Amino acid sequence: MNKTAPHTKTIFKLNGERVTRHYSAEICNEVTVNNKTTRTATGLLFDLTFIGPTNNHLRFDLNFNKRYVLNEKNSAKTTLNTVEKLALEVAKINDHLSIEVSKNFKLIKILNTKQIRDQWERIRGTVLKEFDNISPLVHSLDQQLMDINIQEHFKNDLFFNSLFSAIYYYDFNSTSALITKKTIPNAIDNIALPIIETKEITNQNRDFSKVTVSATAKLDTNHPDFDIQALNNFAGKLASNNAPCDLHFNYKGTYNIEPDIGLITQSQLLFDLSISNLYNRTATVTINLDKK
């Protein structure tokens, strides 16, 4: 692959075919607290269908066909524990999503939120009966699915941020980089972290048929929602003394694009957070288009 040459075409047009495309994805989250590591990983098979224009935006249907828990070797687990069974059961409320996106493929809103809430109400009682000590999680889901919270919940989710990349019809040659302010919810425990993300073309072949856009980000420490006091309090609970703690943040993503067909064929998004040697969280999302 060659580095981006000057004065080349650097605008990606979104594929407008009204067809269903098939994808696979892997989502992994690993948290280490005081040298004790917890790992959760999920595999997804899903379809994305372009329905047509709506309200000056575009409508897509997203259908999850299969979810499965992954082991350390990223193979599907055959025996699940209680927490894993619960996660798969609750995720079913999002099996079908009607989605509105902008022309540049940014998530605007979920259109069928009432259907999602209705499905949650249907299984809520069963979840409370079948799983012990689950009331706090049920309460958390109740809050997430409220009208004032549900849209932000989807918009800030790492998987949806990766899938709906918002890189189409942006002239990368004009200002070089696409800069976006975002928030990572529950980045550390229940603390959200505002970030400033930068996307730019890092590789392309000679005829611009295969292109890589890379993403990096830094913490937005000037954002009013950057809660340094909450971070200090969290670190203080982990530390055995009053020694100062350092926050380290690493964020990177890659989007492999075929401009001729107007599609991202593979993407990966990763962020890594650590507080000295007390806490570390690594989250990754990998999405692949089935081109068959």
Side-chain angles (χ1 to χ4, degrees):
M1 300 284 280
N2 300 315
K3 290 290 184 179
T4 304
H7 308 300
T8 57
K9 54 182 179 179
T10 50
I11 297 177
F12 310 114
K13 295 182 179 180
L14 179 64
N15 187 297
E17 295 178 302
R18 299 192 186 190
V19 298
T20 297
R21 303 191 187 278
H22 310 292
Y23 292 82
S24 61
E26 293 179 1
I27 304 170
C28 182
N29 190 61
E30 190 171 288
V31 176
T32 300
V33 181
N34 289 329
N35 298 317
K36 182 179 180 181
T37 300
T38 302
R39 179 183 184 272
T40 58
T42 306
L44 304 172
L45 297 177
F46 64 94
D47 296 335
L48 188 64
T49 305
F50 178 43
I51 304 302
T54 177
N55 300 323
N56 295 319
H57 291 127
L58 306 173
R59 180 188 159 189
F60 285 81
D61 280 355
L62 177 60
N63 292 290
F64 291 96
N65 303 315
K66 186 176 182 179
R67 294 181 176 89
Y68 46 94
V69 179
L70 299 171
N71 59 24
E72 295 286 346
K73 296 181 179 179
N74 281 341
S75 299
K77 293 181 66 173
T78 55
T79 303
L80 304 182
N81 61 36
T82 300
V83 174
E84 291 165 342
K85 291 178 181 177
L86 173 63
L88 293 182
E89 184 66 26
V90 171
K92 291 179 181 178
I93 67 174
N94 297 325
D95 273 353
H96 172 72
L97 298 175
S98 181
I99 295 174
E100 186 175 318
V101 304
S102 65
K103 180 183 178 182
N104 69 344
F105 212 49
K106 175 184 177 181
L107 177 60
I108 301 298
K109 64 180 177 181
I110 306 297
L111 298 172
N112 61 324
T113 53
K114 183 180 184 303
Q115 177 185 342
I116 295 169
R117 280 192 290 269
D118 288 346
Q119 290 176 338
W120 168 235
E121 287 301 321
R122 280 195 287 270
I123 70 168
R124 188 179 185 277
T126 302
V127 167
L128 283 168
K129 290 179 181 178
E130 292 188 1
F131 298 96
D132 297 329
N133 303 316
I134 203 64
S135 294
L137 177 58
V138 168
H139 176 71
S140 176
L141 281 167
D142 288 340
Q143 295 298 311
Q144 288 179 12
L145 297 179
M146 292 176 62
D147 276 337
I148 60 174
N149 298 327
I150 189 168
Q151 298 295 347
E152 291 304 308
H153 169 69
F154 281 101
K155 287 180 183 179
N156 292 330
D157 181 86
L158 196 63
F159 168 78
F160 287 94
N161 260 277
S162 184
L163 180 62
F164 298 104
S165 56
I167 63 175
Y168 293 95
Y169 299 104
Y170 177 80
D171 187 358
F172 282 90
N173 199 41
S174 62
T175 57
S176 179
L178 172 61
I179 298 175
T180 310
K181 291 191 174 186
K182 296 184 175 182
T183 298
I184 302 177
N186 303 316
I188 299 178
D189 196 37
N190 63 346
I191 304 170
L193 288 180
I195 65 171
I196 301 174
E197 182 192 63
T198 299
K199 292 191 180 90
E200 56 187 338
I201 294 176
T202 52
N203 278 298
Q204 68 180 62
N205 61 358
R206 187 174 297 277
D207 62 356
F208 203 68
S209 62
K210 294 184 183 297
V211 180
T212 299
V213 170
S214 297
T216 57
K218 62 181 180 180
L219 294 174
D220 188 359
T221 55
N222 293 320
H223 195 285
D225 291 335
F226 185 82
D227 194 342
I228 189 64
Q229 186 60 53
L231 291 169
N232 287 334
N233 292 342
F234 179 78
K237 293 177 183 178
L238 298 176
S240 56
N241 52 49
N242 292 323
C245 297
D246 296 322
L247 174 63
H248 297 279
F249 175 70
N250 180 41
Y251 178 105
K252 58 183 179 181
T254 56
Y255 299 86
N256 295 328
I257 306 164
E258 295 189 13
D260 290 346
I261 60 173
L263 295 171
I264 296 170
T265 57
Q266 183 185 56
S267 65
Q268 184 174 65
L269 195 58
L270 173 150
F271 77 83
D272 183 86
L273 287 159
S274 63
I275 301 176
S276 298
N277 62 347
L278 302 172
Y279 177 94
N280 181 262
R281 179 189 176 193
T282 301
T284 58
V285 176
T286 303
I287 300 175
N288 290 287
L289 170 67
D290 182 357
K291 296 174 66 177
K292 294 180 180 179

